[in-house]
């Protein structure tokens, strides 16, 4: 359990000032369009699903090559070929509905019944600075899911190889879920009067979201979907690929084993650090709309592990490395999580913990959750900070003394290794890292712009202390 000390941290009461309240009120009003406005979000909402289908078709049916019409006359036949692949191998069939929806409801069930670490979130301006409680039970839920899946696999009730074999069908169902939940949450928010920061444009508001803290009982849907849906599916896609290789080849390739280990480490890290999520921008500012919902339900699970899709459908000779290369890959991954030698992954794990624990300390929370594996340096002792007129404090210690977004650099580095695991056999698995760096740069700009408005000259002072956005000494 988290422990409070009368709302004090470092001997001083932390509270939002009157100036800060006025600024927060301004920030909780729609002021300008992002993402290119209504036309931009329309392009995203139609373009990304089409891109996901195209990349899957290229991986599964065209040896991972980026196919295209060979001539003007071939445009229509080319589109028909793509459509036939989607119609035959990515139809939202009953089997896919049962498997995908079954996981959704199972994860909701686990979130509702398993006891968890009770974490208090940050004060929410739109709720009169009320703090919400979060039941952080992702870690036991994830292990309950693994045990259940293993039992279903070994008893023959549900063979894990079926996941990767039905990738296209499951992806279509995931997309439908993403669209349905996005539109459904919009209408629910409007019907219940809980909408916030609305632009007045229907499509744009569906994309950005209408509600900030949607809940079913004690389950915060936004936090639940951020961990329980995308990363569970990502992990089991990798496991499914490994099972498929074992059944067909009699062994699991080192490349596939790497992805199983890598996705498990990422999933476990999300679960063990779940109590840090309530202190993030995602929870106290970003609304739950298509931008977040579709990506959690469909985008992340079905576009981040293209390397697994490729390996599951191609002969190992196409992506085989030398023994020294495998040694480097595995040593890097294991050192990142258990020996703290590889600095980028250490930063990824501890940087978020440092900032979250700092924010908790400002709320008077002095005792933190300890879940496996715990890395050193996850809490800054006697932290330095910039005191703002708003009332908040901006951390300038630990990893955050060297970069304003140290976790972004580490996160992107990991995304790159998920593509590099298949070498140069196909460029498609590198989509994750290319897309991710684009998202991070754009999100960084949004975050810094909001901080500039929120903190004014205090933000300028902070930037003069922490000069670099991502990589210390470079950028």
């Amino acid at each position: 359990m988290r422990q409070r000390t009368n709302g004090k941290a470092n001997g001083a009461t932390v509270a939002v000032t009157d100036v800060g309240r006025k600024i927060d009120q301004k920030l909780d009003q729609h002021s300008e369009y992002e993402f290119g406005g209504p036309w931009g979000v329309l392009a995203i909402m139609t373009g990304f699903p089409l891109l996901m289908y195209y990349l899957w078709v290229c991986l599964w049916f065209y040896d991972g090559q980026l196919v295209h019409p060979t001539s003007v006359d071939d445009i229509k036949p080319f589109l028909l070929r793509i459509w036939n692949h989607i119609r035959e191998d990515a139809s939202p069939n009953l089997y896919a509905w049962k498997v995908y929806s079954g996981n959704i409801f199972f994860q909701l069930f686990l979130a509702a019944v398993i006891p968890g670490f009770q974490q208090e979130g940050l004060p929410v301006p739109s709720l009169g600075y009320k703090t919400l409680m979060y039941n952080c039970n992702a870690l036991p839920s994830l292990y309950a899911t693994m045990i259940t899946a293993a039992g279903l696999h070994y008893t023959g009730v549900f063979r894990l190889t079926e996941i990767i074999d039905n990738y296209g069908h499951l992806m279509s169902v995931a997309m439908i879920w993403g669209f349905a939940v996005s539109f459904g949450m919009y209408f629910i928010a409007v019907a219940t009067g809980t909408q916030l920061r609305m632009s007045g444009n229907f499509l744009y508001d569906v994309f950005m979201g209408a509600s900030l803290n949607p809940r079913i009982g004690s389950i915060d849907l936004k936090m639940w979907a951020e961990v329980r849906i995308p990363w569970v599916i990502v992990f089991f896609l990798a496991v499914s690929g490994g099972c498929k290789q074992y059944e067909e080849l009699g062994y699991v390739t080192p490349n596939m084993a790497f992805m199983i280990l890598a996705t498990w480490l990422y999933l476990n890290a999300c679960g063990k650090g779940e109590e840090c999520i309530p202190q993030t921008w995602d929870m106290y500012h970003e609304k739950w709309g298509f931008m977040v919902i579709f990506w959690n339900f469909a985008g992340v699970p079905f576009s981040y592990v293209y390397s697994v899709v490729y390996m599951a459908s191609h002969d190992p000779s196409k992506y085989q490395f030398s023994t020294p290369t495998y040694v480097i890959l595995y040593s890097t991954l294991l050192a990142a999580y258990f020996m703290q030698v590889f600095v980028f992954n250490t930063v990824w794990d501890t940087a978020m913990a440092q900032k979250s624990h700092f924010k908790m300390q400002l709320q008077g929370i002095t005792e933190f959750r300890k879940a496996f594996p715990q890395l050193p340096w996850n809490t800054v002792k006697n932290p330095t900070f910039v005191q703002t007129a708003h009332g908040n404090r901006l951390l300038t210690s630990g990893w955050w003394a060297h970069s304003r977004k140290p976790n972004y650099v580490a996160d992107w580095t990991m995304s790159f290794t998920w593509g590099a695991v298949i070498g140069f056999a196909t460029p498609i698995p590198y989509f994750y890292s290319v897309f991710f760096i684009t998202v991070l740069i754009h999100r960084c700009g949004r975050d810094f712009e909001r901080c500039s408005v929120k903190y004014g000259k205090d933000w300028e002072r902070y930037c003069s202390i922490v000069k670099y956005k991502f990589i210390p000494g470079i950028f």
Side-chain angles (χ1 to χ4, degrees):
M1 293 289 288
R2 88 284 184 278
Q3 188 177 56
R4 290 177 67 88
T5 56
N6 301 320
K8 296 184 179 182
N10 297 331
T13 301
V14 179
V16 178
T17 64
D18 290 338
V19 172
R21 290 174 180 272
K22 291 179 180 179
I23 295 173
D24 287 339
Q25 186 177 16
K26 176 182 178 182
L27 289 172
D28 264 340
Q29 303 295 322
H30 171 75
S31 58
E32 60 182 6
Y33 285 123
E34 299 180 84
F35 299 97
W39 288 106
V41 301
L42 175 62
I44 293 172
M45 294 173 74
T46 55
F48 266 103
L50 294 176
L51 179 61
M52 290 169 64
Y53 277 126
Y54 170 73
L55 293 177
W56 163 71
V57 168
C58 290
L59 276 174
W60 202 261
F61 300 102
Y62 295 98
D63 197 32
Q65 303 306 306
L66 297 173
V67 295
H68 54 80
T70 56
S71 65
V72 174
D73 293 335
D74 187 45
I75 293 178
K76 184 176 180 179
F78 170 79
L79 294 176
L80 287 175
R81 289 194 296 271
I82 298 296
W83 166 246
N84 286 334
H85 286 306
I86 296 173
R87 184 185 62 188
E88 295 174 10
D89 295 284
S91 59
N93 58 26
L94 180 60
Y95 175 84
W97 276 105
K98 289 190 294 184
V99 172
Y100 187 90
S101 301
N103 178 57
I104 295 291
F105 293 118
F106 183 59
Q107 295 303 323
L108 273 173
F109 169 75
L110 293 177
V113 301
I114 294 182
F117 184 87
Q118 300 301 304
Q119 179 61 55
E120 186 175 6
L122 293 177
V124 182
S126 60
L127 297 179
Y129 295 93
K130 173 185 176 182
T131 58
L132 302 175
M133 294 302 296
Y134 296 84
N135 183 34
C136 301
N137 62 358
L139 196 60
S141 296
L142 299 178
Y143 281 93
T145 301
M146 292 178 194
I147 293 170
T148 302
L152 293 175
H153 178 77
Y154 284 110
T155 57
V157 175
F158 175 71
R159 301 290 292 175
L160 291 175
T161 51
E162 296 176 12
I163 301 175
I164 198 72
D165 287 336
N166 289 274
Y167 185 94
H169 303 293
L170 290 168
M171 180 172 64
S172 291
V173 171
M175 290 183 186
I176 295 172
W177 263 94
F179 275 96
V181 174
S182 299
F183 280 89
M185 287 308 305
Y186 170 86
F187 289 118
I188 290 174
V190 172
T192 57
T194 55
Q195 69 270 35
L196 174 72
R197 226 180 300 134
M198 304 293 274
S199 71
N201 181 278
F202 170 69
L203 195 62
Y204 183 82
D205 288 334
V206 169
F207 180 84
M208 296 300 292
S211 58
L212 181 63
N213 306 108
R215 294 194 167 208
I216 297 179
S218 63
I219 302 173
D220 186 279
L221 292 175
K222 193 163 52 170
M223 189 169 82
W224 167 80
E226 186 169 314
V227 177
R228 318 301 177 91
I229 304 305
W231 301 111
V232 167
I233 298 175
V234 161
F235 171 69
F236 279 104
L237 278 170
V239 171
S240 180
C243 291
K244 182 178 177 67
Q245 282 191 339
Y246 188 79
E247 288 191 357
E248 294 181 350
L249 306 174
Y251 65 93
V252 177
T253 63
N255 310 64
M256 187 70 81
F258 176 90
M259 284 303 299
I260 294 172
L261 179 59
T263 54
W264 175 80
L265 288 171
Y266 202 107
L267 174 62
N268 186 77
C270 290
K272 81 180 183 70
E274 187 184 20
E275 77 281 2
C276 295
I277 297 177
Q279 284 76 39
T280 63
W281 152 294
D282 289 348
M283 300 307 299
Y284 72 83
H285 182 77
E286 204 80 271
K287 295 183 292 180
W288 206 44
F290 181 93
M291 177 179 66
V292 177
I293 295 171
F294 182 85
W295 210 242
N296 283 335
F297 277 75
V300 169
F302 294 97
S303 65
Y304 279 18
V305 286
Y306 283 140
S307 56
V308 171
V309 178
Y310 182 82
M311 289 187 284
S313 57
H314 289 80
D315 188 89
S317 62
K318 290 182 175 291
Y319 52 85
Q320 189 172 24
F321 296 152
S322 64
T323 299
T325 302
Y326 287 125
V327 171
I328 293 173
L329 274 173
Y330 277 87
S331 297
T332 299
L333 186 67
L334 294 175
Y337 284 88
F338 300 111
M339 293 182 289
Q340 300 88 53
V341 172
F342 185 49
V343 70
F344 283 124
N345 278 329
T346 304
V347 173
W348 177 73
D349 195 301
T350 59
M352 289 308 300
Q354 285 181 357
K355 194 167 190 177
S356 294
H357 289 175
F358 174 71
K359 291 180 179 180
M360 293 178 198
Q361 288 171 334
L362 299 184
Q363 292 178 265
I365 299 171
T366 57
E367 187 174 307
F368 310 116
R369 181 189 187 195
K370 289 180 171 56
F372 176 81
Q374 284 293 302
L375 301 184
W377 321 313
N378 62 17
T379 302
V380 179
K381 296 181 179 179
N382 301 315
T384 59
F385 52 83
V386 171
Q387 178 66 58
T388 68
H390 178 281
N392 289 350
R393 293 172 177 176
L394 305 177
L395 181 63
T396 57
S397 294
W399 296 115
W400 303 87
H402 310 289
S403 168
R404 297 175 216 161
K405 295 292 182 181
N407 54 314
Y408 282 12
V409 178
D411 220 351
W412 181 84
T413 301
M414 287 189 290
S415 74
F416 180 78
T417 65
W418 289 23
V421 72
I422 52 87
F424 300 104
T426 167
I428 294 176
Y430 291 95
F431 167 81
Y432 174 19
S433 59
V434 173
F435 169 79
F436 199 38
I437 191 63
T438 304
V439 169
L440 292 180
I441 291 174
H442 180 265
R443 179 172 175 140
C444 186
R446 292 177 66 211
D447 189 12
F448 290 171
E449 182 179 353
R450 178 175 171 274
C451 287
S452 179
V453 173
K454 186 173 184 177
Y455 302 122
K457 291 184 178 180
D458 293 321
W459 178 251
E460 295 177 9
R461 184 157 56 98
Y462 167 77
C463 292
S464 69
I465 297 172
V466 184
K467 297 180 174 61
Y468 298 101
K469 297 179 180 179
F470 296 113
I471 306 174
I474 299 176
F475 177 71

